[in-house]
């Protein structure tokens, strides 16, 4: 614990971040942690972002894993498309992005 009984906080800086073209949107992503770690993909909830949902736990995961955090359609820094936000399209976006853009093995 830090001074005054506060729990100390750790930060994780991305190894890589940017926008990937995925199914008609520019999906924002960040890669944290070990380059050789087993990948873990983090998905935020509706109306959220990477920082809001994962800022406290991301450094913990990144200590042992390669963490890929994504912002879904029309959230945070990801663009929107001319179609409603739907679970099916979000699943399609997430299934494609890490493997195509980051060249992870499927």
């Amino acid at each position: 614990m830090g001074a005054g009984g506060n729990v100390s906080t750790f930060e994780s800086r991305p190894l890589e971040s940017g926008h990937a073209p995925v199914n008609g949107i520019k999906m924002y992503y960040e890669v944290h942690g070990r380059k050789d770690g087993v990948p873990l993909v983090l998905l935020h909830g509706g109306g959220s972002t990477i920082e809001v949902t994962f800022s406290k736990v991301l450094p913990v995961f990144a200590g042992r894993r390669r963490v890929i955090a994504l912002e879904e359609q029309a959230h945070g820094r990801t663009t929107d498309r001319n179609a409603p936000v739907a679970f099916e399209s979000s699943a399609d976006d997430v299934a494609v992005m890490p493997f195509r853009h980051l060249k992870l093995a499927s």
Side-chain angles (χ1 to χ4, degrees):
M1 289 201 178
N6 294 327
V7 175
S8 61
T9 58
F10 300 97
E11 291 185 25
S12 179
R13 300 273 184 242
L15 300 171
E16 177 183 344
S17 66
H19 289 86
V22 176
N23 299 331
I25 61 174
K26 291 181 181 174
M27 180 176 270
Y28 179 76
Y29 71 93
E30 294 180 359
V31 179
H32 294 256
R34 299 173 45 163
K35 291 181 180 182
D36 64 341
V38 175
L40 171 66
V41 177
L42 300 180
L43 306 174
H44 59 75
S48 196
T49 65
I50 293 169
E51 287 80 17
V52 169
T53 304
F54 302 115
S55 63
K56 297 204 187 297
V57 296
L58 200 152
V60 175
F61 295 148
R64 295 184 181 206
R65 304 283 293 268
R66 180 177 187 187
V67 179
I68 302 158
L70 308 173
E71 289 183 341
E72 298 180 53
Q73 174 190 347
H75 289 78
R77 292 158 280 199
T78 294
T79 62
D80 201 359
R81 65 170 70 91
N82 190 18
V85 175
F87 290 122
E88 293 81 6
S89 58
S90 290
D92 290 342
D93 297 341
V94 170
V96 167
M97 191 280 174
F99 302 107
R100 182 184 300 158
H101 184 73
L102 298 177
K103 312 264 191 285
L104 296 180
S106 54

